[in-house]
Amino acid sequence: MTSYDYSRYSTTPSPPPSGSILYNLAYTDELLAIKVALRSQLKQNRLPNTPVGFPVFLRSTHSRYSYNNSGQERLDFQSQEFYQEVYTSDRRSKHVAKISFIAPHKSRTGMLQWTISVPARGSFGWQHDEDLSVIAHVQVDSKVLEDPNVGAQILANPRVVFEALADSLELGALITIAVATPTDNKGAHSRYGTPQIVLLSTDQYGHTKGQRRL
């Protein structure tokens, strides 16, 4: 029987930025309704405002490729965001969520990140980003994208990131996309079996508290 090593490329997740309310349990009924509606849209892959290229964006210049210390080409990512209308179940209230892709060089952890932000409680007609609160947060190490078995799945199709964002909304936790590699009965990496994408959830102390394979 093939077992899997969930540690590969899964650097220790860290808690989200201090402005996040991911771990705050005092959600209002309205905010909970927005989370439920957004999760449903993500699970059904129904975010019509999603721009071409999502989940990642590259600089649109001839120098979009840079090089690492080994002289290998690496993608030059560019942060980008878009806004999505969200209707709660009664269809009487329309809200707007901001979905952001944060490039590694803009990230505190040096990882690729995605967040969903909505107006802070009591300020649903926000005018500035400081009025927003993060309700979903996903990250992935760039090394995962270099894996020939799973990198293309993440880059070419938003489904993986949408699934991770949906989990983050449901659990109210940071989600890290990692790779599980097949191992033999001695725990060594095996050439049999296919590496799998796994979603790791993190508690407020930065400890992994759950995992789900895609």
Side-chain angles (χ1 to χ4, degrees), residues 33-47:
I34 293 173
K35 289 180 64 176
V36 169
L38 261 174
R39 182 179 181 276
S40 176
Q41 287 180 257
L42 288 164
K43 297 291 284 187
Q44 298 176 54
N45 198 14
R46 292 177 56 189
L47 271 68

Side-chain angles (χ1 to χ4, degrees), residues 14 17 79 101-115 137-141:
S14 57
S79 299
F101 165 65
I102 305 167
H105 68 281
K106 294 288 188 179
S107 165
R108 180 171 58 88
T109 61
M111 303 175 79
L112 287 78
Q113 299 189 60
W114 296 264
T115 61
H137 187 183
V138 171
Q139 65 181 12
V140 63
D141 193 302

Side-chain angles (χ1 to χ4, degrees), residues 16-27 31 35 118-121 133-135 172:
S18 58
S20 171
I21 56 172
L22 280 174
Y23 300 106
N24 187 339
L25 300 180
Y27 288 107
L31 186 52
K35 289 180 64 176
V118 296
R121 289 162 291 184
S133 294
V134 176
I135 59 171

